[in-house]
Amino acid sequence: MINYHNRRFRSVSNSPTGEVSGETVFQYFQQDDLVWATYQGGSIRFGTLTGLVGPDGSLRFTYQHVNNQNELMTGHCKSTPDQLPDGRLRLSERWQWTSGTHAAGESVIEEIAD
């Protein structure tokens, strides 16, 4: 099982209906199969996600954030991990809003090298 504890990620691509950008930084935490994160930057004032990591390292979670327009946005996501040649993780994500337009999209975030 992949351990996500204390890993930081940044968005490298997102669907046009998403709000996360390259300025958004995610800080992940993990205890057993429970995973949570905080994120902020770009058009996101502050957000959290809560979910579970599967035996294959994939993540299922819900997220919520307040954007720069002071809107409360919510959704759910499934992330599939890949290891980059330099050892960092890349997460390919399929998400859907449960607020606003209820649009779906895809994004990719990559671990930030220390």
Side-chain angles (χ1 to χ4, degrees), residues 5 7-8 11 16 21 24 37 55-56 59 68 79 83 93 95 111-112 114:
H5 193 68
R7 293 184 187 235
R8 295 183 319 129
S11 177
S21 70
T24 310
D56 62 353
L59 299 171
N68 288 341
S79 298
Q83 190 167 35
E93 304 180 315
W95 52 262
E111 187 174 2
I112 299 169
D114 287 332

Side-chain angles (χ1 to χ4, degrees), residues 3 9-10 40 45 60 63 72 86 114:
N3 189 330
F9 294 84
R10 183 181 307 276
Q40 61 190 86
R45 290 183 60 199
R60 289 181 303 115
Y63 58 87
L72 179 60
D86 63 5
D114 287 332

Side-chain angles (χ1 to χ4, degrees), residues 15-94:
S15 296
T17 53
E19 294 192 336
V20 167
S21 70
E23 298 173 303
T24 310
V25 175
F26 296 79
Q27 174 71 54
Y28 276 70
F29 304 93
Q30 182 174 347
Q31 183 176 37
D32 300 320
D33 64 343
L34 180 64
V35 173
W36 66 98
T38 59
Y39 58 101
Q40 61 190 86
S43 65
I44 310 297
R45 290 183 60 199
F46 184 77
T48 62
L49 64 85
T50 305
L52 296 168
V53 59
D56 62 353
S58 66
L59 299 171
R60 289 181 303 115
F61 60 84
T62 59
Y63 58 87
Q64 62 181 8
H65 66 248
V66 176
N67 62 25
N68 288 341
Q69 291 76 44
N70 288 328
E71 297 169 312
L72 179 60
M73 303 297 290
T74 61
H76 57 87
C77 182
K78 177 163 185 191
S79 298
T80 303
D82 289 306
Q83 190 167 35
L84 296 169
D86 63 5
R88 294 179 301 126
L89 290 178
R90 171 186 289 149
L91 297 175
S92 299
E93 304 180 315
R94 298 179 67 86

Side-chain angles (χ1 to χ4, degrees), residues 14-18 63 76 93-99 101-107:
N14 200 0
S15 296
T17 53
Y63 58 87
H76 57 87
E93 304 180 315
R94 298 179 67 86
W95 52 262
Q96 182 170 14
W97 295 111
T98 55
S99 63
T101 65
H102 294 264
E106 297 181 7
S107 57

